Amino acid sequence: MADSLDEIEATLSDAIDITDDERAHERLEHAREELRELRESGEVDGERADDLETRIDQRLRGVDERENYEVDAMGAARSPDDENA
């Protein structure tokens, strides 16, 4: 478990640089779980924790959108139609 919000923020920063979507997703989910555990301990700044949670959620959505875009682009390349050609 992370000992502080600083450690979670560092994990979030590291996850931003990961180009492998699956690894990035795993790292972000891990950061989310650590944040949940810190919140349960009751020893964190609630406002800062809320901000980190929002940033984690945004990054997760970004990874998911990137994955979806790559799948859509691959499908269009394999079987182009009038829209995608």
Side-chain angles (χ1 to χ4, degrees):
M1 179 176 109
D3 293 327
S4 70
L5 293 177
D6 289 335
E7 288 180 30
I8 294 172
E9 193 158 10
T11 299
L12 176 60
S13 294
D14 291 344
I16 292 168
D17 295 329
I18 297 173
T19 56
D20 180 272
D21 291 340
E22 187 174 326
R23 285 186 56 227
H25 200 275
E26 288 173 1
R27 182 74 56 96
L28 291 165
E29 286 293 346
H30 181 73
R32 178 189 279 170
E33 178 63 24
E34 288 185 333
L35 181 58
R36 185 189 61 75
E37 290 173 5
L38 279 177
R39 281 183 187 268
E40 287 176 359
S41 74
E43 299 177 17
V44 296
D45 173 3
E47 187 173 317
R48 186 168 172 214
D50 289 345
D51 177 59
L52 276 172
E53 185 172 18
T54 298
R55 291 172 50 202
I56 290 169
D57 289 342
Q58 289 171 341
R59 298 291 183 219
L60 281 167
R61 279 193 304 275
V63 168
D64 290 341
E65 288 174 8
R66 189 171 63 204
E67 286 176 347
N68 290 337
Y69 175 78
E70 289 171 359
V71 168
D72 289 345
M74 285 176 28
R78 287 186 187 153
S79 57
D81 57 20
D82 290 339
E83 261 181 57
N84 299 324

